[in-house]
Amino acid sequence: MCWSRPRWRAGWRGSRGGEGERGARSGAGPSNSGATGPPEAVRPVRAPRRRTALWAAVVVGALAVGLVAVLATRPNFEAVQARSPLLGKPAPELVAADLDGRTVSLSGLRGRFVLVNFFASWCVPCQHEHPQLVAFTQHHQAAGEASVLGVVFEDDASAVRRFVEERGVDWPMVLDPGGKIALDFGVRGPPESFLVDPNGIVLVKFIGEVKATQLDSLVRQAEQAGA
Amino acid sequence: MDAAIGRAGVLLGFLAAVTGIVTLAWGLARRRPSLLRSGQLYTWLLLSGAVGALLAMEHALLTHNFSLKYVADHGSRETPLLFTVTTLWSALEGSILLWVLVLAGYIAAVAVRFRSRVTDPLVGWATLTSYAVAAFFFGLMLGPANPFRSVHGVVPLDGPGPNPLLQNHPLVAFHPPLLYAGYVGFTVPFAFAVAALVTGRVGEGWLVETRRWTLLAWGLLTVGVVLGAWWSYEVLGWGGYWAWDPVENASFLPWLCATAYLHSVMVQERRGMLRVWNLSLLLATFSLTILGTFLTRSGVLDSVHAFTESALGPAILAFFALVVVVVVALIGWRGDQLRSPGSIDSPISREGAFLGNNLLFALFAFVVLLGTVFPLLAEAVNGQRISVGRPYFDTMTEPIVLALLFLMAVAPALPWRKASTELLRHRLQWPAWAAVATIVVSVALGVRGVETLTAFGLGAFAAGAAVRQLALAARRSGWAGLVGRANGGMVVHIGVVVIAVAFAASQSFGHRAEYRLAPGQSARLAGHRVTYLGARQVRHPNRLALEASVRVDGARVMRPALSEFPFATQAVGTPSVRVGPADDVYLTLVEGPSQPGGDAVIGVVVQPLVSWLWVGGGLMAVGTLLAAAPGRRRRPTQPASEVSADEVAGAGPEPEGERVLEPASLAGGVAGIPGG
């Protein structure tokens, strides 16, 4: 690594005397090396002011701008497949009323893959996830092989209704008074989703926003494995 | 009631900060000392707001007031008292409350300390900057991170409690507050650096006065980071203590810059040089704290610590962008004007070593930062998410650490301005022999591997230099000679060497294995024998634990456990560690017996010298305390860079305890010391 040469080279003149220079140093106070050189040397005209700090600042600033731009455009970390005591076991009994009062049950949806999705309108990652769930539903609607079942997690019915009206929700969304369904599934906070196979067995638990592509490939894998 | 007081506190803090900014800005623009004086008073409103909000939240937690969403999400009646108190900082919004309280405390301390200089524009600008930072964090709590939100609908009777990992070990009461005390503490030197750049006054005594603040914040951050490593080791159950996780790096990056600053500031005090370097380091330290906060509080990086609340991310990122703009603009505008006229005489000198030190630490910080954000950069470029793991960090940081160890040994022996070879040879002789002896002994004990031996050798070299310094100081002035910046610094260096050696040893020579054992069966690993005795269920108030009894080396019975918390989906492992001076035996219960009396899977990790890490951390803390104390005052008539009589005689000057003029009075501060 090179020392920043201009810095000390300018002062090198002042101490080139080597050992003999020592005696001349006494009593100078907090001196600057270039200021009191040997009296017989003619001081050259000082070079134009170096703009090192300016250039360093510009470079750092440009890098920082790049970094901020990258950070600002990152999506949240993709949903993680979590461990759960439910994996490989039959999904808990889920019977609840949807926003219009109609009863919906998970067992009534047997025969297809169901993504039980815990949702709240105040949960920002849930809002981000919404288009992915729409895409997932559309991919599998025609074949009827998979659908979504939304469960409201700690939210008012009115806020959820407002969300449904504004953003459009094509799958049943049930209320969970008392948080009983969340408790049965072991949900800590939205968004969490459980992929249940056509026989009612829980295949995967996701913590975080899911992606439609992620779900599609899991459904395909499970079908090929002979679910 | 709690919610009302809390919200009022947050609002009060925010308004006090904003009004303070406006008042001070007006006072500075119009040069009105009366406004500067009244601007300072808002500090007390700020502090009251923060304290009030914190007390309201603690009250809500302790009385299990589940009408508050934060308590309903993170509190529980079953959680033991200590962990109920620490629930305050066990989740996102509460941690911002803690941040704000620590910041308000620091601002108040600055107001008290500098009260005699309240009409000085430099102090005014510094206070204004601190208010701006406080306004941001209070503002976060008014918006995306509101801890006093109320529960919708029915108020629950009980809550899930904090994250199980945060109620598993009492360390949770120490690590976050100490870490924050350090992390947030860097706001004060940052504010003064900004003030210095804005007012153009970089050559004065303010630097000496804020040095102690930076040292305090640095010391607290060091302790916080070491406790974090201890936490990772004792609680997380993977057997290691440092994984280069984004949150660990977030706390480490500001530490690196602050360390560089603490060294480089000595050159400014002594020779008036490296002023722009010092300011840049202070500004970088603070910027990195904000970046670190962003990385751990947005969801962009997966981390052990991540609070995935994405509404907060954009706000913190915007603040980071603002800080960077301000920093870059100030340095770009003022940096070249404020550079000191002097230059470094020779690279082989104390100044040269410190400049090299700055460069190495800057490189270190760059390498760690790059590794931390690289997954994001790679994803932006080609859409693929990759992960940067330990191999990158270990490979890249190792040579830098070795170079730093070498500098640690050589720099204290280098005199200011210029060194001669005989001088260096004389001073470094003893440490060099210590290094050689250490390498010989290590080889004799069976240590192989060039990297490890180099690390041990350089570590001994650095430790030898530090011990020599301390021995000379003690011989000269007895115990009192150990107090003061230079010698406190040597103790810190010894602590760093101990940590470096422990790191090298435990990484290179650890053994880990998992054994399926029936009750009464034993296994051997790295010279230790573990015997599985059996398992039983133990009911604690907040969890159900399956504890295995394992006898280690025929003596102590240890109890690694798997704990099930009522609202968590998976069991949380509680490791059990037998700490020893030579090595640690680390046990985890990987799988419990499926039926009573059945086999269990026990994980065993044996790593040498892990306990030395904590000893090294303790030494660093002790050294910091010694360094913070005022040392010997040099005679006011002795100029900073005078050659002493010893030097001329050829015995070589010993870098003395305190060669720099300390402020004459600690309370009021000195108006200005010509420092170049």
Side-chain angles (χ1 to χ4, degrees), chain B residues 151-171:
Chain B
V151 159
H152 285 269
V154 176
V155 171
L157 293 171
D158 202 352
N163 187 316
L165 286 172
L166 301 175
Q167 40 175 325
N168 222 5
H169 197 284
L171 204 52

Side-chain angles (χ1 to χ4, degrees), chain A residues 11 33 40 76 80 98 128 134 152 180 187 227:
Chain A
S33 47
E40 58 273 10
N76 269 6
V80 179
D98 71 2
H128 284 169
V134 170
V152 175
K180 187 176 173 313
V187 173

